[in-house]
Amino acid sequence: MIRELLNLLLICFIVSNMPCQGQNKWKSSKNKIVIPFELTHNLIIVNVKVNDVKLNMLLDTGSDKNLLFSFPENDSIIFYETRKVKINGLGNGESLEAYVSNNNHMEVKGYSDDKFQILLITEQNINLVNKLGLPINGIIGASFFKDYLVEINYQKKNIYLYKDSKKILSKKASKYIEKEVKIVGDKPYFDVFAKVNDGIQKKYRLLVDTGLGDGLWLFENDTIKCNKLYINDVLGRGLGGDIEGKKARVEALDLNGFILKEAIVAYPDSIAFNQLDITKGRNGSLGGQIMKRFNWFFDYNNKKFYFKKNKYFDDPFNYNMSGIEVQHMGLTWVSEKVGISNENSSYANSLNSSTSTKNTLIFDEHTEFKYNYKLKPIFEIYAIRPESPAALAGLKVGDVIYSINGKKAFDYTIQKITDLFQSDEGRVIKIEVQRKGQIMSFKFKLQKII
């Protein structure tokens, strides 16, 4: 899987007194607002407007603030009441400068926030389009969840806001599992049971984090240890740099009677957290790879979540068996030759023939051609796991991918490449890359280690 770079969302601010003022955010004439979303790499992406500019934002229960770290091309946004602050980002880097901006206007469908507070991060290295293949501009955090009942339906890929929470819950709650939630600093936490590495079921307090692509994170300490079968990997990229750690499997995760076996668990390196104030009693995070297996109601006001399993529940817990991580590194023009027949061409004559086949194209010397030029993505390898199939085959960081299994790289998306590398153990991957101006060919088999 693409490195779960969106683990960056655990952010510690060296700033206090950043109040959010309450107001009437419901602009719709109906009692329900429907917000479609795109699900990619287990992450929820919604289209919103901030100060009348269209943005793609991640919806994230794990962030207590709203963030903007990428601006749309050929557009500009006016922000109000800004002041400079410093933040510590999850990762191994130094603190970053940012700006807090108050009283902005955010809208999505019938929901509108005229007191929208946002943290503007101007660090140029933060560009999620490289890792997801989509232009991601920022994060919608806790302010979105606090005022209304929020339903996230991963199966339909819709978010629903309800004005009358009591009426909706009285109708639907009986079909869902109810779970008590603790809200600390606008972030939700609840307890789950899991058998991690010793066959003994224990309780773990987890941050409920829709902004985490991985399914489960646990923090190693004196009582929580990774089992012996694991791989070292880069888990994500935070505001302060890469987040390294281990990946393994848990024997079983028990979410109020729903048993998930062999779930992937990541153990981030403790160095990545040396600048963060982790909530006391917290043992890790529950992220999208697990959360997408359920549909949810978030009732922040009454500190209760409701959930039931959906069609994704029995999906296997896969991971990237190739060992290479791919990122988007820009666009290139690609020409496509299209034939245009004239009256003398064989194709034109065939159209008038009673024996012609509907989809047959015959190009001859009378056929004219034109070329369509389209912008296509360029993908490069930005990380390789040591001793992985790709590493042993000879692939290197910085290789630009030319083709995969005979298909040109620009005809893939990052999500499709990810799906391919997570598909079937033993599957043969033939990959061509450009290295120092030369096209080189490599072949390896996907290998499951954990």
Side-chain angles (χ1 to χ4, degrees):
M1 178 180 292
I2 288 179
R3 293 176 184 169
E4 301 305 331
L5 59 122
L6 295 176
N7 301 340
L8 61 84
L9 306 182
L10 303 174
I11 296 173
C12 175
F13 290 86
I14 311 177
V15 62
S16 60
N17 297 322
M18 296 169 63
C20 294
Q21 302 177 34
Q23 24 114 33
N24 182 15
K25 300 178 181 179
W26 197 277
K27 307 301 180 182
S28 174
S29 60
K30 300 180 179 180
N31 291 320
K32 179 173 75 172
I33 296 173
V34 182
I35 303 171
F37 67 83
E38 184 170 355
L39 185 66
T40 181
H41 300 90
N42 306 319
L43 301 166
I44 296 171
I45 302 171
V46 294
N47 304 122
V48 307
K49 282 186 178 181
V50 175
N51 295 341
D52 295 323
V53 175
K54 294 180 180 180
L55 301 172
N56 292 329
M57 306 284 275
L58 295 168
L59 192 65
D60 183 17
T61 56
S63 178
D64 56 347
K65 306 299 180 193
N66 307 303
L67 289 85
L68 188 71
F69 42 73
S70 173
F71 296 86
E73 294 184 4
N74 303 319
D75 212 337
S76 60
I77 309 177
I78 298 174
F79 291 101
Y80 306 102
E81 300 181 17
T82 59
R83 60 188 177 90
K84 187 181 292 186
V85 296
K86 286 188 176 182
I87 62 172
N88 290 334
L90 186 58
N92 299 327
E94 299 178 353
S95 60
L96 304 173
E97 286 191 348
Y99 296 85
V100 174
S101 177
N102 294 310
N103 294 323
N104 298 286
H105 176 77
M106 187 277 283
E107 61 179 295
V108 52
K109 299 299 181 178
Y111 174 92
S112 179
D113 186 351
D114 294 322
K115 301 290 184 180
F116 190 68
Q117 183 186 74
I118 194 164
L119 186 76
L120 311 174
I121 301 172
T122 57
E123 171 60 51
Q124 296 300 311
N125 291 330
I126 301 170
N127 188 355
L128 300 193
V129 67
N130 289 352
K131 310 303 182 299
L132 298 181
L134 296 171
I136 308 301
N137 304 112
I139 294 162
I140 300 291
S143 63
F144 181 83
F145 298 93
K146 294 192 295 184
D147 294 305
Y148 304 105
L149 179 69
V150 179
E151 178 186 0
I152 296 181
N153 190 311
Y154 280 95
Q155 191 164 316
K156 294 183 178 180
K157 296 180 177 59
N158 279 330
I159 299 161
Y160 303 94
L161 302 184
Y162 296 98
K163 199 170 186 179
D164 189 341
S165 61
K166 290 183 179 180
K167 181 179 179 180
I168 295 301
L169 290 176
S170 66
K171 290 182 178 179
K172 297 189 176 185
S174 61
K175 299 178 182 179
Y176 286 70
I177 299 296
E178 179 183 313
K179 194 165 184 65
E180 297 287 336
V181 179
K182 186 176 182 180
I183 306 295
V184 180
D186 291 334
K187 298 179 183 180
Y189 300 81
F190 59 46
D191 297 333
V192 303
F193 289 88
K195 295 179 182 179
V196 176
N197 61 3
D198 54 10
I200 301 174
Q201 183 164 279
K202 298 178 182 178
K203 183 170 69 173
Y204 300 90
R205 174 151 294 182
L206 305 178
L207 171 69
V208 182
D209 191 355
T210 59
L212 174 66
D214 281 334
L216 179 64
W217 270 24
L218 291 177
F219 305 146
E220 283 193 286
N221 55 32
D222 293 338
T223 59
I224 301 176
K225 298 291 184 182
C226 177
N227 62 34
K228 295 181 180 180
L229 185 60
Y230 66 89
I231 56 174
N232 289 306
D233 209 353
V234 178
L235 307 180
R237 180 165 295 172
L239 297 181
D242 285 342
I243 306 160
E244 299 181 353
K246 306 169 186 174
K247 279 189 176 178
R249 292 184 185 270
V250 297
E251 181 180 334
L253 183 73
D254 184 346
L255 189 58
N256 285 63
F258 290 108
I259 308 299
L260 295 164
K261 296 182 178 181
E262 298 296 314
I264 300 290
V265 56
Y267 298 88
D269 193 320
S270 60
I271 296 175
F273 292 89
N274 62 2
Q275 300 182 51
L276 296 181
D277 181 19
I278 301 300
T279 299
K280 185 177 180 180
R282 176 187 168 197
N283 302 121
S285 299
L286 189 76
Q289 193 183 35
I290 289 176
M291 293 195 68
K292 75 173 184 180
R293 297 162 193 268
F294 303 88
N295 294 331
W296 299 81
F297 280 95
F298 295 157
D299 186 359
Y300 273 57
N301 288 330
N302 294 305
K303 299 180 182 178
K304 291 181 181 180
F305 284 3
Y306 302 83
F307 62 97
K308 68 176 182 180
K309 68 178 183 179
N310 61 28
K311 68 178 183 180
Y312 300 121
F313 183 80
D314 293 319
D315 285 356
F317 286 92
N318 293 330
Y319 71 99
N320 185 343
M321 292 180 283
S322 73
I324 59 177
E325 302 288 354
V326 177
Q327 71 176 0
H328 183 283
M329 61 166 293
L331 299 170
T332 185
W333 288 103
V334 175
S335 63
E336 296 179 346
K337 185 163 69 172
V338 180
I340 306 176
S341 59
N342 58 36
E343 60 182 7
N344 296 317
S345 73
S346 298
Y347 174 56
N349 293 332
S350 70
L351 291 178
N352 298 320
S353 172
S354 60
T355 60
S356 66
T357 302
K358 181 177 181 181
N359 294 321
T360 299
L361 292 177
I362 304 174
F363 297 120
D364 59 18
E365 67 274 12
H366 299 292
T367 303
E368 297 179 0
F369 292 94
K370 73 173 183 178
Y371 291 85
N372 287 338
Y373 288 87
K374 295 182 179 180
L375 281 172
K376 298 282 189 175
I378 304 171
F379 300 113
E380 72 169 355
I381 297 172
Y382 82 95
I384 299 182
R385 190 171 66 243
E387 303 301 316
S388 66
L392 296 175
L395 288 159
K396 295 183 179 181
V397 171
D399 285 346
V400 177
I401 299 176
Y402 181 76
S403 72
I404 304 176
N405 286 356
K407 184 177 179 180
K408 291 293 190 292
F410 53 67
D411 288 327
Y412 284 89
T413 63
I414 285 184
Q415 181 68 66
K416 288 182 179 179
I417 295 174
T418 299
D419 292 342
L420 177 63
F421 291 162
Q422 292 184 4
S423 55
D424 299 308
E425 184 178 20
R427 184 168 189 169
V428 175
I429 303 296
K430 297 178 181 179
I431 185 168
E432 291 181 304
V433 301
Q434 185 175 9
R435 183 188 298 171
K436 296 182 179 179
Q438 293 185 339
I439 300 296
M440 305 177 68
S441 299
F442 300 88
K443 183 171 72 172
F444 59 85
K445 291 182 179 180
L446 299 180
Q447 181 182 7
K448 185 180 291 185
I449 300 174
I450 58 173

